[in-house]
Amino acid sequence: MTFLFASFQKKTPENKVDHSVLPNVNNNLTNNQMKEETQYDVIIVGGSYAGLAAGMALGRALRKVLIIDSGNPCNKQTPHSHNFLTNDGKTPKEIASLAKQQVQMYSTVGFLDALVTTGIKTENGFEVEIHTGETFTATKLVFATGVKDIMPNISGFAECWGISVLHCPYCHGYEVRNEKTGILDNGEYGYEFSSLIFNWTKDLTLYTNGKSTLTPEQTLKLRKHNIRIDEREIEKFEHTDGYLQNIIFKNGIAASVKALYARSPFVQHCGIPELLGCELNDDGFIKVDPAQKTTIPGVFASGDNTTRIRTVANAVAMGTNAGMMVNKELIEEEF
Ligand SMILES: Cc1cc2nc3c(=O)[nH]c(=O)nc-3n(C[C@H](O)[C@H](O)[C@H](O)COP(=O)(O)OP(=O)(O)OC[C@H]3O[C@@H](n4cnc5c(N)ncnc54)[C@H](O)[C@@H]3O)c2cc1C
């Protein structure tokens, strides 16, 4: 869960569509079916936890669904996922694979390993195009495309992300409880983060990576709890296979830490909802109502792309809700 710890970065043209992954098109429909089956009730863009949950609800509602996924979920580097009932401690892939296996049991749901590159409104619904140029149409669209965390320019940070550089104590704090821990932050957020992480360990240093912007009151309060404040500028992280050993400062001195918490800015993983006209809120999430409807009729969104509450459990809950609400809307239009 990352609700406190992420900030939105304004979108740049190159992140409108994620070109970092261009999967081989590998779908579960046969080639002939694939040619015939280009019109769906619902296309779900993004087939991780939120997308698969939406797919299951819609499959169980007998809807003809295509889930298109580019295989790049935000937690792919984390060795173990925690805090999701029945799957606590499993790898992210194990959870997603079992979910996909279960959704595949519903014969009206098809999968496509592909990157959706664009989407347009048509007379009767929507058309999406994948990176090979093939197009598919549907009456409704669900975007379960997540967000992309932007790594800061500190050597070693990206390699440690999700392994020993952590975004969320509820996901990973238990495993490093009572360990020598750092927080990379400053000011108000740094103060809030420190008071939160103090719940998991008392051996805590706030690394401000430059002059502290804490207020005198905040500084006093942190000191009262024996939380150290270190203003030295950081050069790099020394690590072994993502497991942090030392923070190396610009003056060449090293500080050993077992784990470090950090916030990362993010962008929407997929820019197509915005191309279709879906509004984002001030925090950079797709605006949705309680039925997961975006501001564009017929377009739904669920999971990390809509909320600060970033957990597998929440993504699954929102995806399930999206699936049910899309089906409800289709029933209202068809009945
Ligand atoms: C490092 C890290 C560790 C975490 N650890 C935990 C944990 O231990 N426990 C926990 O509960 N939560 C954890 N989380 C949070 C959790 O991973 C997310 O809340 C969850 O993955 C959100 O699911 P989602 O389906 O919304 O998005 P994602 O899982 O990010 O999936 C989005 C999917 O959409 C696809 N996609 C995007 N754009 C396109 C496109 N144009 N065409 C086709 N496909 C597209 C992507 O390839 C991806 O597969 C962690 C997060 C991070 C970053």
Side-chain angles (χ1 to χ4, degrees):
M1 180 155 70
T2 54
F3 55 99
L4 275 176
F5 321 123
S7 61
F8 173 53
Q9 270 212 344
K10 283 273 175 244
K11 193 163 60 68
T12 54
E14 62 271 23
N15 61 42
K16 273 188 176 166
V17 162
D18 177 9
H19 289 284
S20 62
V21 179
L22 287 175
N24 294 323
V25 174
N26 164 26
N27 69 82
N28 298 306
L29 307 169
T30 66
N31 281 342
N32 279 341
Q33 269 176 320
M34 169 93 172
K35 279 184 194 121
E36 287 157 22
E37 310 269 357
T38 57
Q39 168 62 33
Y40 293 85
D41 293 322
V42 187
I43 290 176
I44 300 171
V45 184
S48 180
Y49 312 103
L52 287 168
M56 179 174 275
L58 285 159
R60 294 185 56 76
L62 317 173
R63 293 292 173 185
K64 208 168 130 193
V65 179
L66 181 64
I67 302 177
I68 309 177
D69 185 57
S70 58
N72 202 14
C74 65
N75 63 348
K76 65 177 179 205
Q77 192 165 289
T78 219
H80 302 282
S81 180
H82 299 101
N83 213 12
F84 180 38
L85 277 176
T86 73
N87 281 281
D88 190 34
K90 295 231 173 99
T91 67
K93 204 166 178 179
E94 272 177 300
I95 301 172
S97 302
L98 180 60
K100 187 170 173 186
Q101 205 182 310
Q102 292 181 345
V103 177
Q104 265 169 333
M105 301 302 284
Y106 297 92
S107 61
T108 57
V109 183
F111 288 88
L112 200 54
D113 294 335
L115 179 74
V116 176
T117 51
T118 192
I120 52 165
K121 175 95 189 81
T122 61
E123 203 182 331
N124 300 315
F126 301 90
E127 181 182 279
V128 299
E129 186 175 319
I130 61 169
H131 64 280
T132 57
E134 284 163 283
T135 57
F136 303 89
T137 55
T139 314
K140 307 285 175 194
L141 286 183
V142 176
F143 285 94
T145 39
V147 294
K148 241 203 291 194
D149 297 300
I150 310 294
M151 298 294 109
N153 195 17
I154 297 175
S155 167
F157 185 104
E159 291 81 352
C160 295
W161 179 244
I163 300 170
S164 58
V165 173
L166 310 172
H167 68 298
C168 165
Y170 295 98
C171 296
H172 305 290
Y174 187 85
E175 284 63 39
V176 290
R177 64 194 181 281
N178 304 322
E179 295 283 4
K180 196 175 183 59
T181 299
I183 294 171
L184 177 60
D185 215 318
N186 207 345
E188 189 64 34
Y189 278 116
Y191 175 76
E192 289 291 332
F193 218 163
S194 302
S195 66
L196 178 73
I197 302 305
F198 190 71
N199 179 73
W200 280 267
T201 180
K202 310 297 176 235
D203 191 352
L204 194 56
T205 306
L206 174 63
Y207 294 99
T208 56
N209 194 18
K211 206 170 162 31
S212 162
T213 55
L214 295 161
T215 64
E217 293 75 26
Q218 289 169 336
T219 306
L220 210 62
K221 192 90 182 268
L222 293 188
R223 292 217 168 112
K224 205 176 129 201
H225 286 88
N226 293 322
I227 298 174
R228 298 171 290 271
I229 301 164
D230 192 326
E231 296 182 302
R232 286 175 289 182
E233 286 184 44
I234 295 170
E235 173 74 27
K236 61 174 178 179
F237 292 166
E238 258 178 14
H239 65 95
T240 308
D241 299 331
Y243 290 93
L244 202 49
Q245 311 290 336
N246 292 303
I247 298 175
I248 309 292
F249 300 101
K250 289 207 168 140
N251 62 9
I253 293 173
S256 82
V257 280
K258 178 91 177 185
L260 181 109
Y261 288 88
R263 283 184 299 139
S264 66
F266 70 88
V267 290
Q268 284 286 326
H269 198 148
C270 173
I272 300 168
E274 279 178 272
L275 291 179
L276 286 165
C278 299
E279 284 176 39
L280 302 189
N281 64 24
D282 290 343
D283 293 332
F285 297 107
I286 300 172
K287 266 192 201 172
V288 285
D289 71 4
Q292 309 299 142
K293 291 182 191 188
T294 70
T295 51
I296 295 297
V299 180
F300 293 68
S302 63
D304 275 13
N305 58 7
T306 64
T307 179
R308 273 182 193 286
I309 313 287
R310 285 179 78 184
T311 64
V312 172
N314 195 48
V316 168
M318 292 179 94
T320 303
N321 191 35
M324 294 192 304
M325 293 301 126
V326 173
N327 188 51
K328 178 171 182 281
E329 191 166 279
L330 284 167
I331 289 169
E332 283 163 3
E333 288 167 5
E334 292 162 358
F335 191 72

